């Protein structure tokens, strides 16, 4: 065939179409069916509003008859949640299914799956995604148990899961922050008494050729670096991180904080991009890194059994000007989906897994310390030195901003650290640029 | 008596199937008429909602209502669902219109046969005629439906997104999305920061596509020639060895490479240091980061080219080489005149395919450098970001779906134009017969 191929293709297509017309009856139906199936999910979602409401006197919300729940959480929570699910089923007759969707992915997934009627009833989110979740209309307020949550959980946690509209949405699980872990074979507690002490210790200890370093943290991450700015009076957004028109990242405090961070370079002779969490954790585990700034999620892996040496932890010590860095805190919380067919049962389960008994079981099974008040006095946790250090650190933390504009903060600040660390750029000028970038980004999202 | 075709076609155009019935194809005609009734009913039932949905993208916003102590969600319109449903409906309406036209043509042909005094197929013959003569068309319908729903529809959908304000502050179901015309396009090309990022990223994307395609192709070519040399023993052993990078899942080797190339802590620079060489900042220096990516991609990509080229080398007739040796051709001359043209004849379409693929080579960039080192002059992009990774961070990380859609339109146009243009120029496309 000497025909031009594309022409041949087109003529073949039109021939086919012509022959289709001859047998059109069944073909028309074949094309019509997908639209019907696309329309059905919304129909099933709208049919989901249950009518009964619980009596206000009852201590527990009345779950819907025949309810069954799907819960999204990270793999580490699987054992705990499945155990709780079995207990819950025995008590209320409601089956709970665990699905592995971590809090980082849950929002993007529920936005798509929820309206289609296939999402979870209950899922985990970090509190900094709360306002986006509220805007996107995917979470139900924590209404029935609001007083209970407010009374029994740390104020930091409750405030963090309350959206800017003043409504409490989440059921807090735990607060996450970071502090200094140290290898007790290499450093003593006195070496971590202040940042000057850390510098002095590192100077004596560092042997770059053998990859021995005094202190490390993930240098490209505002999550960690913010501590120095926040501790000196810098802030992300004004009015408790709710006013996007007031950005405090280039004020005097912020500049002073990052200048101090810049000064740490003398004992941390590596580039921002090279200080990856993999490298850092690996060096700490091998006993080469003495002091490791890392988060509470390492509690389960930084144990004597796993590392072979004793690990200590101290809250971030004061900087040379006497002020202590103020680390970011993230609050992991359960949220009930607005698309849940059984919202009452979901609320009941969220409450159930946040109880005092559940909190102790969660600590035993997954090492996660609940944000409930007074848990640090519980004998199950009291003896753990590392947990005690975190409880101490929690007294001086700042919840990450959670308004939708926060994305601009992470984006604009990401470019700052390589500049000031690798290229010794002027801190004030770099931060001014970052703040003006943030303003542009916020403007454009409108 | 020459007017049957006009009458039949007109009848069918007015009411599907009437022309066929007029042509005395009663079963076919009534089947058409039944379908037409259904189509008209379906169109009337859905027209208003579909048009309203796709033009307004919804009017009621979802909200929560406080009932006693409990908040009850009140469902609103889901803009994106309305858009997709409207799109599907429009396609179905278009299909109805198309079938109506085809049915009129069919009636016209039937009428023409009658005018010429020929007999028309009865229903049995029609039913037998389709699988007999139109079997290929029947079979291709199924993949065509799939292509339509899984390729064409999503492409049109993403083009439509580019004209909305769909981003993380206007996110359904909580918020409604609105049409806003060319605003995203204007922003992308007129706001200096976006335009600067776009052109910077675009330039690197094209550079990267050219470099990566040529390095892997000629790298593979060189290795293939070496392995196929006459004097080489254990050929299959070498072939197997060189296939190893291809056999390891790419994402695994990329994550390993990322650690190998760590300038401070990675084994590559430690080894170099032992020889007294201070290694470069592999992934934190903008130039070296780009070089590293090209090098790693060469390592990942050459085995495939090598394998293909070895395959082609074995098909080149030996007598060509023997004849040229008799004429006293040098090794290089033989390569230039025999080997290279033969390989290029078979491989140039694949080369173009690889080039287009490299424009969208997400894995290598994303897993190796993550787009870094950061470029403070760019919006949401780093020095090594290519369009597709930028698109990812725009849409997934930063929730600017409309901007991502605009960029994907440009990506689509670039790749489509390039592929079309180059494929048509390759000899193996223009000529079905062998090279001369």
């Amino acid at each position: 065939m000497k025909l031009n191929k594309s022409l041949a293709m087109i003529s073949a297509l039109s021939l086919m179409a012509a022959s289709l017309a001859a047998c059109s009856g069944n073909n028309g139906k074949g094309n019509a069916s997908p639209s019907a199936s696309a329309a059905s999910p919304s129909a099933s979602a709208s049919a989901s509003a249950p009518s009964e409401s619980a009596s206000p006197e009852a201590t527990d919300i009345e779950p819907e008859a025949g309810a069954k729940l799907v819960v999204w959480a990270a793999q580490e929570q699987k054992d705990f949640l499945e155990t709780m699910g079995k207990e819950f089923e025995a008590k209320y007759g409601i089956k709970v299914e665990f699905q592995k969707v971590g809090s980082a992915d849950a929002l993007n997934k529920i936005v798509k799956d929820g309206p289609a009627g296939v999402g979870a009833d209950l899922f985990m989110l970090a509190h900094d995604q709360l306002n986006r979740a509220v805007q996107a209309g995917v979470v139900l307020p924590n209404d029935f148990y609001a007083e209970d949550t407010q009374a029994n959980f740390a104020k930091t946690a409750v405030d963090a899961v309350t959206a800017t509209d003043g409504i409490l949405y989440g059921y807090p699980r735990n607060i996450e922050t970071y502090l200094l872990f140290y290898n007790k074979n290499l450093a003593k507690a006195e070496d971590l008494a202040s940042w000057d002490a850390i510098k002095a210790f590192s100077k004596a200890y560092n042997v770059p050729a053998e990859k021995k370093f005094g202190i490390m943290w993930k240098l490209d991450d505002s999550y960690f670096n913010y501590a120095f700015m926040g501790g000196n009076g810098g802030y992300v957004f004004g009015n408790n991180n709710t006013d996007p028109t007031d950005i405090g990242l280039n004020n005097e405090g912020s500049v002073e904080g990052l200048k101090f961070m810049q000064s740490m370079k003398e004992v941390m002779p590596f580039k921002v991009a090279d200080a990856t969490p993999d490298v850092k954790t690996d060096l700490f585990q091998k006993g080469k890194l003495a002091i490791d700034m890392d988060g509470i999620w390492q509690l389960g892996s930084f144990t004597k059994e796993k590392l072979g040496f004793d690990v200590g932890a101290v809250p971030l010590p004061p900087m040379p000007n006497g002020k202590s860095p103020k680390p970011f805190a993230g609050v992991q919380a359960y949220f009930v989906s607005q698309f849940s067919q059984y919202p009452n049962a979901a609320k009941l389960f969220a409450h159930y897994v946040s109880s005092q008994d559940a909190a102790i079981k969660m600590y035993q099974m997954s090492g996660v310390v609940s944000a409930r008040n007074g848990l640090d006095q519980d004998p199950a946790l009291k003896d753990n030195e590392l947990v005690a250090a975190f409880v101490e650190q929690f007294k001086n933390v700042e919840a990450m901003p959670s308004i939708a504009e926060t994305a601009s903060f992470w984006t604009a600040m990401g470019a700052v650290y390589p500049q000031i660390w690798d290229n010794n750029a002027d801190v004030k000028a770099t931060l001014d640029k970052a703040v003006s970038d943030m303003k542009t980004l916020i403007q454009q999202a409108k | 008596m020459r007017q049957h075709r006009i009458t039949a076609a007109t009848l069918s155009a007015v009411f599907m199937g009437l022309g066929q019935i007029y042509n005395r194809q009663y079963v076919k005609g009534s089947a058409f008429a039944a379908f037409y009734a259904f189509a008209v009913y379906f169109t009337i039932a859905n027209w208003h909602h579909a048009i309203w949905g796709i033009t307004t993208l919804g009017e009621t916003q979802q909200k929560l209502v406080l009932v006693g102590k409990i908040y009850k969600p009140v469902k609103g319109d889901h803009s994106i669902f309305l858009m997709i449903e409207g799109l599907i409906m429009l396609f179905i309406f278009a299909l109805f219109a198309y079938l109506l036209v085809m049915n009129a043509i069919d009636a016209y042909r039937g009428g023409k046969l009658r005018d010429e005094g020929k007999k028309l197929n009865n229903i049995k013959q029609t039913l037998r005629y389709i699988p007999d003569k139109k079997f290929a068309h029947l079979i291709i319908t199924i993949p065509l439906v799939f292509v339509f729903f899984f390729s064409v529809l999503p492409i049109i959908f993403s083009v439509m997104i580019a004209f909305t304000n769909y981003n993380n502050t206007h996110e359904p179901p909580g918020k409604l999305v609105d049409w806003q015309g060319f605003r995203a396009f204007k922003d992308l090309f007129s706001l200096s920061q976006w335009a600067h990022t776009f052109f910077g990223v675009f330039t690197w994307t094209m550079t990267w596509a050219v470099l990566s395609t040529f390095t892997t192709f000629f790298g593979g070519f060189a290795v293939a020639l070496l392995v196929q040399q006459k004097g080489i023993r254990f050929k299959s052993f070498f072939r197997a060895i060189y296939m190893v990078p291809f056999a390891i899942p790419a994402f695994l080797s990329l994550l390993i490479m990322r650690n190998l190339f760590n300038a401070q802590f990675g084994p590559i620079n430690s080894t170099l240091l032992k020889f007294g060489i201070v290694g470069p900042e592999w992934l934190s220096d903008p130039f070296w980061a780009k070089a590293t990516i090209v090098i790693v991609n060469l390592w990942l990509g050459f085995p495939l080219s090598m394998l293909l080229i070895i395959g082609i080398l074995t098909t080149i007739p030996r007598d060509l080489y023997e004849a040229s040796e008799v004429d006293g051709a040098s090794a290089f001359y033989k390569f230039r005149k025999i080997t290279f043209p033969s390989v290029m004849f078979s491989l140039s379409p694949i080369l173009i395919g690889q080039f287009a693929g490299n424009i969208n080579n997400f894995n290598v960039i994303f897993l190796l450098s993550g787009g870094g080192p950061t470029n403070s002059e760019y919006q949401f992009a780093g020095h090594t970001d290519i369009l597709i990774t930028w698109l990812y961070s725009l849409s997934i990380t930063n929730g600017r779906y409309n901007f991502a859609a605009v960029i994907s339109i440009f990506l689509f146009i670039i790749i489509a134009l390039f592929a079309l243009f180059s494929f048509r120029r390759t000899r193996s496309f223009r000529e079905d017969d062998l090279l001369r």
Side-chain angles (χ1 to χ4, degrees), chain B residues 251-420:
Chain B
F251 89 96
L252 257 182
S253 30
L254 284 168
L255 290 177
I256 294 169
M257 287 285 179
R258 188 184 185 143
N259 282 328
L260 288 183
F261 279 100
N262 189 312
Q264 180 74 35
F265 305 100
I268 292 184
N269 275 6
S270 316
T271 315
L272 286 177
L273 206 61
K274 282 184 186 137
F275 294 103
I277 306 165
V278 179
E281 299 286 345
W282 294 107
L283 290 170
S284 28
D285 179 79
F287 170 78
W288 276 107
K290 290 174 180 176
T292 310
I293 288 170
V294 173
I295 295 169
V296 171
N297 183 64
L298 170 62
W299 185 82
L300 282 175
F302 88 88
L304 187 64
S305 301
M306 180 197 77
L307 201 67
L308 290 171
I309 292 167
I310 287 180
I312 294 161
L313 289 182
T314 53
T315 65
I316 303 174
R318 295 232 64 84
D319 45 350
L320 281 178
Y321 289 104
E322 281 156 16
S324 62
E325 266 161 39
V326 172
D327 290 344
S330 70
F332 179 69
Y333 195 79
K334 279 190 285 183
F335 170 79
R336 199 160 65 86
K337 288 291 181 189
I338 303 171
T339 317
F340 190 67
S342 322
V343 170
M344 284 316 283
F345 178 79
S346 315
L347 272 196
S348 44
I350 289 181
L351 205 60
I352 293 154
Q354 282 185 345
F355 181 85
N358 275 325
I359 293 181
N360 279 342
N361 199 333
F362 182 81
N363 275 2
V364 173
I365 309 276
F366 187 74
L367 293 175
L368 199 61
S369 73
T374 43
N375 185 333
S376 55
E377 319 244 297
Y378 282 178
Q379 296 263 48
F380 302 118
H383 282 283
T384 57
D385 261 320
I386 56 174
L387 287 171
I388 190 82
T389 57
W390 187 36
L391 209 137
Y392 177 87
S393 66
L394 276 176
S395 55
I396 306 293
T397 319
N398 294 292
R400 302 289 169 88
Y401 311 108
N402 53 346
F403 267 86
V406 174
I407 294 166
S408 70
I409 291 176
F410 281 97
L411 256 180
F412 178 77
I413 293 173
I414 293 163
I415 295 177
L417 280 183
F418 185 84
L420 202 69

Side-chain angles (χ1 to χ4, degrees), chain A residues 95-161:
Chain A
K95 216 170 155 51
V96 180
E97 185 194 339
F98 171 90
Q99 286 179 1
K100 193 189 122 194
V101 179
S103 61
D105 307 321
L107 183 53
N108 279 334
K109 205 164 154 61
I110 196 71
V111 165
K112 293 179 187 72
D113 289 3
V118 292
D121 301 282
L122 195 65
F123 52 88
M124 304 282 322
L125 287 182
H127 83 273
D128 57 320
Q129 294 177 300
L130 170 63
N131 282 301
R132 195 190 136 202
V134 172
Q135 271 189 4
V138 294
V139 288
L140 276 181
N142 175 355
D143 38 22
F144 190 87
Y145 291 109
E147 288 103 28
D148 179 87
T149 303
Q150 277 151 353
N152 289 322
F153 284 84
K155 191 170 180 310
T156 318
V158 174
D159 288 349
V161 295

Side-chain angles (χ1 to χ4, degrees), chain B residues 30-337:
Chain B
S30 16
F32 278 18
F35 173 76
Y36 187 63
F38 164 75
V40 169
Y41 168 75
F42 184 87
T43 308
I44 291 172
N46 291 295
W47 179 266
H48 179 73
H49 184 76
I51 298 298
W52 166 82
I54 208 160
T55 48
T56 62
L57 294 181
E59 285 163 340
T60 338
Q61 193 161 313
Q62 174 180 307
K63 59 176 188 283
L64 291 165
V65 178
L66 192 59
V67 182
K69 203 181 169 189
I70 308 287
Y71 284 92
K72 296 274 177 204
V74 178
K75 233 174 101 64
D77 296 324
H78 192 300
S79 302
I80 299 301
F81 281 9
L82 285 176
M83 190 194 267
I84 297 175
E85 283 165 17
L87 196 59
I88 294 176
M89 281 301 164
L90 286 185
F91 267 107
I92 291 172
F93 300 152
L95 185 73
F96 288 161
Y98 173 76
L99 291 177
L100 184 64
V101 172
M102 290 322 281
N103 135 81
I105 293 176
D106 178 67
Y108 178 84
R109 284 190 190 141
K112 197 174 168 195
L113 285 177
R114 284 180 72 194
D115 289 342
E116 291 161 0
K118 286 176 191 157
K119 259 196 80 170
L120 267 69
N121 281 349
N122 64 25
I123 186 67
K124 260 188 196 161
Q125 286 164 322
T126 306
L127 287 180
R128 208 178 305 136
Y129 172 79
I130 295 167
D132 268 5
K133 304 281 174 171
K134 301 285 180 187
F135 186 69
H137 306 128
L138 202 63
I139 292 299
I140 209 171
T141 311
I142 297 159
L144 203 74
V145 168
F146 276 95
V147 164
F148 175 74
F149 277 101
F150 296 105
S151 303
V152 178
L153 205 68
I155 288 173
I156 297 177
F157 170 67
S158 76
V159 168
M160 288 164 80
I161 291 290
F163 298 93
T164 67
N165 60 357
Y166 184 27
N167 62 26
N168 60 3
T169 48
H170 301 92
E171 196 165 26
K175 290 266 189 294
L176 295 172
V177 174
D178 288 315
W179 293 111
Q180 55 164 19
F182 284 91
R183 194 189 135 189
F185 291 81
K186 270 187 220 149
D187 283 357
L188 187 63
F189 291 105
S190 60
L191 288 177
S192 61
Q193 281 169 309
W194 283 101
H196 178 69
T197 314
F198 180 80
F199 291 116
V201 172
F202 177 73
T203 314
W204 163 237
T205 305
M206 295 318 274
T207 321
W208 147 257
V210 171
L211 281 178
S212 56
T213 310
F214 278 83
T215 49
T216 51
F217 180 75
F218 287 105
F221 208 149
V223 176
L225 286 176
L226 286 175
V227 170
Q228 293 299 91
Q229 282 291 316
K230 265 186 205 147
I232 302 285
R233 301 175 67 188
F234 312 118
K235 274 185 186 153
S236 49
F237 170 75
F238 281 111
R239 276 200 294 261
I241 284 283
Y242 288 129
M243 282 310 290
V244 167
F246 188 60
I248 306 171
F251 89 96
L252 257 182
S253 30
L254 284 168
L255 290 177
I256 294 169
M257 287 285 179
R258 188 184 185 143
N259 282 328
L260 288 183
F261 279 100
N262 189 312
Q264 180 74 35
F265 305 100
I268 292 184
N269 275 6
S270 316
T271 315
L272 286 177
L273 206 61
K274 282 184 186 137
F275 294 103
I277 306 165
V278 179
E281 299 286 345
W282 294 107
L283 290 170
S284 28
D285 179 79
F287 170 78
W288 276 107
K290 290 174 180 176
T292 310
I293 288 170
V294 173
I295 295 169
V296 171
N297 183 64
L298 170 62
W299 185 82
L300 282 175
F302 88 88
L304 187 64
S305 301
M306 180 197 77
L307 201 67
L308 290 171
I309 292 167
I310 287 180
I312 294 161
L313 289 182
T314 53
T315 65
I316 303 174
R318 295 232 64 84
D319 45 350
L320 281 178
Y321 289 104
E322 281 156 16
S324 62
E325 266 161 39
V326 172
D327 290 344
S330 70
F332 179 69
Y333 195 79
K334 279 190 285 183
F335 170 79
R336 199 160 65 86
K337 288 291 181 189

Side-chain angles (χ1 to χ4, degrees), chain A residues 136-200:
Chain A
V138 294
V139 288
L140 276 181
N142 175 355
D143 38 22
F144 190 87
Y145 291 109
E147 288 103 28
D148 179 87
T149 303
Q150 277 151 353
N152 289 322
F153 284 84
K155 191 170 180 310
T156 318
V158 174
D159 288 349
V161 295
T162 304
T164 42
D165 56 10
I167 299 174
L168 175 72
Y169 282 87
Y171 303 77
R173 188 186 73 187
N174 63 312
I175 309 178
E176 294 182 333
T177 191
Y178 45 92
L179 44 52
L180 299 178
F181 290 99
Y182 65 101
N183 182 334
K184 284 190 173 173
N185 292 352
L186 304 175
K188 293 186 290 294
E190 302 92 86
D191 297 328
L192 289 87
S194 71
W195 284 93
D196 280 333
I198 292 173
K199 265 189 198 172

Side-chain angles (χ1 to χ4, degrees), chain A residues 359-430:
Chain A
I360 292 175
K361 198 164 280 172
M362 176 166 73
Y363 175 70
Q364 286 161 348
M365 293 184 74
S366 61
V368 175
V369 183
S370 161
R372 280 188 83 92
N373 284 330
L375 207 65
D376 49 321
Q377 297 308 317
D378 193 278
L381 286 85
K382 210 175 168 183
D383 302 334
N384 190 324
E385 184 193 342
L386 302 181
V387 172
F390 272 104
V391 170
E392 190 60 31
Q393 181 70 69
F394 285 145
K395 291 174 185 162
N396 182 33
V397 291
E398 179 182 335
M400 282 185 278
S402 66
I403 54 177
E405 286 83 357
T406 310
S408 69
F409 161 71
W410 299 109
T411 303
M413 289 300 288
V416 166
Y417 312 113
Q419 291 281 334
I420 64 164
W421 190 270
D422 296 349
N423 306 337
N424 267 322
D426 179 63
V427 172
K428 172 75 177 151
T430 314

